[in-house]
Amino acid sequence: MEKKPAMLLILYATQTGNALDAAERIGRDAERRGCAASVSSIDDFDASSLPHRDTVIFVVSTTGQGDTPDSMKLFWKYLLQRNIAKNWLEGVHYAVFGLGDSGYQKYNFVAKKLDRRISDLGATAIVERGLGDDQHPSGYEGALDPWMSSLWIMLYQINPKFFPNGPDFVFDRVQMQTGRARSMSPGKVSHIKNIPDCFLKMIKNQPLSRTGCGKDVRHFELEFVSATIQYGVGDVLEVLPGQDPSAVDAFLQRCNLNPESLIIVHPIGIESHHRDAEGNDSKVPIKLKTFVELTMDIASASPRRYFFEVMSVFATAEHEKERLQYFASPEGRDDLYQYNQKGTKNCF
Ligand SMILES: Cc1cc2nc3c(=O)[nH]c(=O)nc-3n(C[C@H](O)[C@H](O)[C@H](O)COP(=O)(O)O)c2cc1C
C-alpha cells in the first residue's frame, strides 16, 4: 500500500472565484495552526488517486440550476462510474464545504451530492458538511468560520499529527501570525522598457436603437492610435471594460507606481507556454496603467477579509492596525460586511 502523505489537501471547484477564496482561507488558517496544507483546483487533481490521500477538504460551489462548476465536471463523472467499488475510499477522511445561495431551489446541491457520494464510497466525514449561503448577512463567511473551528477540533481528535504545534494552535487560541502575510505576494511582475503598445481610439459611437426601447444597440468606429495591428475578415475584437482614468491615476499615484512602466505578469503556479527559442518568457508586456485599468476594479470592488489581514501588517498607525485586524477577525465579520456593502468606508 502506498504511503499516504501527511498533508491536508484542499480541493476547490469554483465558477466565479468564491470557492477559491474560501479554499485559500482554509489553507492559510491550517498553516497558521501548523498544519501543512496544499490548495488545488479540482481539475488539477487526478481523481483516481483519491484513495491514496489521507485527508481531503472539498470546497465546492453550485452554479446554473444545481450544476457543478465547469472545473468539476470530469471529477464528478469519474466519481459516478458504476464500476467503482463500494469501499473505494475506505480509510480516507474528508470534509465538504459548499457555497450556494438559498434563494435557489437547488440550494448547495453540489456540496450535498458530493458529500453523499464520497460517503457512499466508504470515506469518513471529519465534520458535518458546511453550507455557505449568499443570503446570510455575512455571505458564505457566516458559515465558514464556525465550520473551520469545528474542522480543526475534529481533525485534531482524529489525527493530532496534523498539528505538530499542539492543541493551543487548534482551539482558537491562535494569534494571527501576520508576519506570514508578508511573504504572500499577489503575483510576480517583472519590469521592462521601450516596447510599443497598440491601442484603438473610438471615433464614432452612435446609438442605433430608440431611447426607451429596452435595448441599447450601437455603431462603433475605431481607429489605431499607435502601432498598426494586422487584421482580417472574421477577426474578433475583444472589448474590455475600463474604468475612470482619474481614479486609475489617483490609485497609481497613491501606490507610488510609475503608470508608464511596462510589465509582464506571470501567474503564480502556471507554467508559461509562451517561450521563445532561447526558453525566455515571451508574453506581451503591458503598461502598468493599462493593467490596472483593464484588470483591476479599483472603484467598486469590495475588499475581501484577506486584504484587511495583509494591510494590517503594513499599517503604521496603531488604531488603523487594530481596526484592520478586527475586520480580518471572525468577530469583525459582520462589521466588515456592512463596511463593504454600505460603502461607509471612512470608519477608521
Ligand atoms: C448563474 C448562477 C447560478 C447559481 N445557481 C445556484 C444554485 O443552483 N444553487 C445554489 O445554491 N447557488 C447557486 N448560485 C450561487 C453560487 O453558488 C454562490 O454565489 C457561490 O458563492 C458562487 O461560488 P463560486 O464563485 O465559487 O462559483 C448561483 C450563482 C450564479 C451566479
Side-chain angles (χ1 to χ4, degrees):
M1 184 77 177
E2 224 172 293
K3 198 172 181 311
K4 297 180 180 187
M7 147 126 22
L8 194 61
L9 175 65
I10 303 166
L11 294 179
Y12 67 87
T14 181
Q15 196 67 17
T16 59
N18 289 341
L20 163 62
D21 280 347
E24 286 187 337
R25 219 157 81 63
I26 297 169
R28 284 194 300 273
D29 205 33
E31 297 216 327
R32 231 180 254 142
R33 291 162 199 270
C35 168
S38 80
V39 179
S40 243
S41 175
I42 207 155
D43 58 353
D44 288 336
F45 179 73
D46 173 11
S48 68
S49 69
L50 203 53
H52 306 304
R53 307 304 302 211
D54 192 302
T55 306
V56 186
I57 312 298
F58 295 93
V59 185
V60 295
S61 71
T62 297
T63 190
Q65 294 303 323
D67 302 328
T68 59
D70 295 338
S71 58
M72 192 176 157
K73 298 231 177 302
L74 282 178
F75 181 86
W76 184 235
K77 204 171 154 188
Y78 190 93
L79 284 195
L80 289 184
Q81 290 176 105
R82 278 162 191 265
N83 57 356
I84 299 186
K86 270 270 168 227
N87 61 351
W88 186 57
L89 294 180
E90 216 169 71
V92 177
H93 287 94
Y94 79 100
V96 174
F97 186 82
L99 291 92
D101 182 335
S102 56
Y104 285 86
Q105 210 176 9
K106 293 187 172 171
Y107 172 53
N108 256 311
F109 202 58
V110 173
K112 290 174 186 170
K113 64 185 187 181
L114 176 68
D115 184 22
R116 202 170 312 126
R117 182 64 180 150
I118 299 266
S119 164
D120 285 350
L121 290 172
T124 309
I126 304 165
V127 65
E128 194 183 329
R129 69 174 170 243
L131 299 180
D133 184 359
D134 285 358
Q135 302 286 330
H136 186 283
S138 307
Y140 70 82
E141 295 206 326
L144 183 58
D145 285 325
W147 182 81
M148 273 200 298
S149 299
S150 313
L151 172 69
W152 306 136
I153 293 167
M154 296 311 290
L155 188 57
Y156 180 74
Q157 282 173 8
I158 291 169
N159 199 343
K161 78 169 184 227
F162 274 110
F163 299 95
N165 298 338
D168 270 5
F169 279 76
V170 179
F171 295 96
D172 268 327
R173 277 168 275 172
V174 63
Q175 292 296 312
M176 264 212 293
Q177 293 178 346
T178 41
R180 236 174 230 289
R182 286 181 207 279
S183 62
M184 301 172 194
S185 67
K188 200 175 85 185
V189 174
S190 53
H191 291 250
I192 42 163
K193 294 191 182 90
N194 299 330
I195 298 175
D197 48 7
C198 312
F199 283 104
L200 302 167
K201 183 179 172 191
M202 186 180 291
I203 51 165
K204 200 177 240 177
N205 174 2
Q206 193 182 326
L208 297 178
S209 46
R210 260 178 284 126
T211 342
C213 75
K215 285 195 288 192
D216 187 1
V217 183
R218 281 162 191 266
H219 170 88
F220 293 129
E221 283 180 23
L222 307 152
E223 79 176 10
F224 298 122
V225 291
S226 58
T228 311
I229 303 169
Q230 299 290 319
Y231 65 93
V233 175
D235 280 357
V236 173
L237 174 69
E238 192 179 6
V239 180
L240 301 172
Q243 45 196 333
D244 181 359
S246 60
V248 174
D249 290 343
F251 174 82
L252 288 166
Q253 209 178 352
R254 183 78 182 84
C255 298
N256 206 13
L257 294 167
N258 176 5
E260 299 304 310
S261 57
L262 286 150
I263 60 165
I264 289 180
V265 179
H266 309 268
I268 285 177
I270 300 175
E271 257 307 295
S272 175
H273 299 297
H274 304 268
R275 292 191 187 279
D276 62 20
E278 279 132 36
N280 297 317
D281 204 319
S282 63
K283 277 195 191 132
V284 182
I286 55 167
K287 270 188 197 165
L288 190 55
K289 183 175 175 165
T290 312
F291 175 76
V292 172
E293 200 173 347
L294 298 182
T295 66
M296 295 172 73
D297 182 356
I298 51 171
S300 60
S302 295
R304 294 182 193 276
R305 217 160 90 167
Y306 182 50
F307 172 80
F308 290 87
E309 188 179 324
V310 174
M311 292 307 283
S312 74
V313 175
F314 299 103
T316 44
E318 200 48 43
H319 72 286
E320 289 182 354
K321 199 181 199 52
E322 271 174 23
R323 192 72 183 149
L324 288 161
Q325 282 174 346
Y326 170 69
F327 275 150
S329 71
E331 299 74 49
R333 191 177 60 217
D334 292 353
D335 285 338
L336 173 62
Y337 189 77
Q338 298 299 332
Y339 172 80
N340 277 335
Q341 289 300 303
K342 294 194 178 143
T344 50
K345 300 187 181 166
N346 55 356
C347 55
F348 278 94

